[in-house]
Amino acid sequence: MKYQVAIIGGGPAGYTAAETAGKAGLSVVLFEKQNLGGVCLNEGCIPTKTLLYSAKMYDSARYASKYAVHVSEVSFDLPKIIARKQKVVRKLVLGVKGKLTAHGVNIVQGEATIIDKNTVECGGETYECENLILCTGSETFIPPISGVDTVPFWTHRDALDNKELPASLAIIGGGVIGIEFASFFNSLGVQVTVIEMLDEILGGMDKELSAMLRAEYAKRGIKFMLSTKVISIAEASSDDGKPQVQVSYENAEGAGAVLADRLLMSVGRRPVIKGFGLENLDLRRTERGNICVNEYMQASVPGIYVCGDLTGFSLLAHTAVREAEVAVHTILGQKDVMSYWAIPGVVYTNPEIAGVGQTEEALQLKGINYRVVKLPMAYSGRFVAENEGVNGVCKLLIADDETIVGAHVLGNPASEIITLAGMAIELKLTTTEWKKIIFPHPTVSEIFKEAL
């Protein structure tokens, strides 16, 4: 069997590449060893947002009196929340499969192995291809902490399927995944402790806004332990004999330990580089082992393209989607290049925090001059109407030539309005040019216009 394009991995990069190539009339085979949609759709972006929305609805009901609405006997049903999450995932997976099938993509379920740059083997069958696109995604990284092999702990996958709430939860890692789960379990009444090695949560996001979000959740009862190194984990027992986990740590104040009913390991993810014959291609790698690609997503061997987490640029689904489009457009002979200048990042807590472009810390490291324009979200009438007693901030970073180089928002719905700033940054609009854009009124997005 011979194809113009073979794709390994059916996550956002893989299924986007397959759909784009199939729609253009190319013959395509897509290999996926588990479920279409990859981590994002099955155990990442979509299921976590489904759970977080249920938590948000629960919070809205509990605090409805702020808006002169009275709701009595508010409660939640965790097994039904989990069941709804599974229903949403199934529906979207079927949607992805339907779109691929409609465009003539041959979906092969199984573990693919690369024989050479033009040959892939799967399930005893051999597939030949003119172009090979690698989209193998990433996996949870479990750090080599003493005792990690002897103590039961959750990964994000376990936390997504859990149907019984623990009284207390310790989370190792204050990145996006850890903080979103902290938000979810905090809303449902769990005592949450977040242990982070860095001096602030959400590394990579705007530090000032991250600190504000942390302060908000600290008020809601989450305990944050920053600049804290986990030394070991071990089994323990509560006073009434209930099994617990003990997390021993060290920080500037000395050594100590956190006891919790459950432990969530959330220190990050790493690209999948083993198990599919990557070593048979002899591709050039970075110092960290990621695959080197050019602006067209081409690897060092002609006919090989790499998209998504395997490049190590940005372990985000929307980045992977764009990389896949660039790769297929290059195969088709269409001029297109990948830009990482305006990749949005979002944390779907309540309130949300989102950023795009450069942070202050990044600009300072690069020696780029900039000025900061900062406004409370209360300058947006729509925000005030929908966020009683809640504060938020919009921060814009402006270069010497008056182009927007960074935008960061704390407050709902940051995830929905950040793209407007991303477009301004990608298109290199000046403050004068962006201010000429007409924003609908009243909308929260008007905060950008107010800030200029």
Side-chain angles (χ1 to χ4, degrees), residues 60-309:
S60 296
R62 284 196 298 162
Y63 302 115
S65 59
K66 288 183 178 180
Y67 304 91
V69 176
H70 300 285
V71 180
S72 59
E73 299 181 10
V74 180
S75 63
F76 62 87
D77 187 324
L78 184 58
K80 287 186 177 179
I81 290 175
I82 301 299
R84 179 177 179 270
K85 178 264 299 183
Q86 293 166 338
K87 182 180 73 172
V88 169
V89 169
R90 282 195 301 269
K91 180 178 181 179
L92 293 176
V93 168
L94 287 173
V96 169
K97 184 176 182 179
K99 289 173 73 175
L100 296 180
T101 302
H103 294 298
V105 176
N106 180 18
I107 303 169
V108 178
Q109 189 81 31
E111 195 161 341
T113 301
I114 299 167
I115 306 303
D116 58 44
K117 74 185 192 73
N118 298 113
T119 313
V120 176
E121 187 275 332
C122 185
E125 296 285 342
T126 299
Y127 301 81
E128 295 181 21
C129 61
E130 297 173 18
N131 300 279
L132 178 60
I133 306 180
L134 307 180
C135 311
T136 54
S138 61
E139 60 190 358
T140 300
F141 172 65
I142 305 299
I145 299 171
S146 175
V148 72
D149 296 328
T150 63
V151 174
F153 60 85
W154 282 348
T155 63
H156 71 281
R157 185 185 299 111
D158 304 308
L160 284 170
D161 290 332
N162 174 64
K163 296 179 181 177
E164 293 184 6
L165 283 181
S168 57
L169 173 68
I171 300 176
I172 299 179
V176 175
I177 297 172
I179 295 303
E180 288 187 347
F181 275 114
S183 171
F184 173 72
F185 285 106
N186 170 257
S187 289
L188 300 191
V190 176
Q191 177 58 55
V192 178
T193 301
V194 176
I195 307 168
E196 171 56 51
M197 185 180 290
L198 300 178
D199 62 356
E200 190 52 84
I201 62 171
L202 303 175
M205 301 293 286
D206 180 86
K207 211 165 189 177
E208 180 183 12
L209 270 61
S210 295
M212 293 177 65
L213 180 69
R214 173 174 53 81
E216 174 61 31
Y217 272 99
K219 284 190 234 174
R220 302 182 192 182
I222 294 180
K223 182 179 180 181
F224 293 93
M225 305 182 67
L226 305 179
S227 301
T228 299
K229 182 179 181 180
V230 175
I231 302 302
S232 65
I233 54 178
E235 292 185 332
S237 297
S238 63
D239 293 337
D240 59 1
K242 184 172 64 173
Q244 288 189 311
V245 176
Q246 176 176 293
V247 181
S248 299
Y249 63 84
E250 288 181 354
N251 57 27
E253 298 176 1
V258 172
L259 288 173
D261 291 347
R262 287 287 184 180
L263 170 65
L264 171 61
M265 198 72 73
S266 181
V267 297
R269 302 184 62 79
R270 61 183 177 189
V272 174
I273 59 175
K274 296 180 180 179
F276 60 98
L278 183 62
E279 62 278 4
N280 295 328
L281 294 178
D282 193 27
L283 301 178
R284 190 160 61 89
R285 308 253 192 124
T286 67
E287 290 182 1
R288 302 187 65 177
N290 299 316
I291 308 302
C292 293
V293 293
N294 61 17
E295 60 189 346
Y296 308 107
M297 307 315 300
Q298 296 168 317
S300 56
V301 174
I304 305 294
Y305 298 80
V306 183
C307 306
D309 299 348

Side-chain angles (χ1 to χ4, degrees), residues 394-411:
C394 172
K395 177 194 283 191
L396 298 181
L397 308 180
I398 302 169
D400 288 345
D401 62 0
E402 286 299 299
T403 56
I404 315 296
V405 293
H408 307 276
V409 179
L410 173 63

Side-chain angles (χ1 to χ4, degrees), residues 339-357:
S339 169
Y340 296 97
W341 183 240
I343 303 292
V346 181
V347 187
Y348 294 84
T349 44
N350 186 22
E352 297 174 345
I353 180 173
V356 64

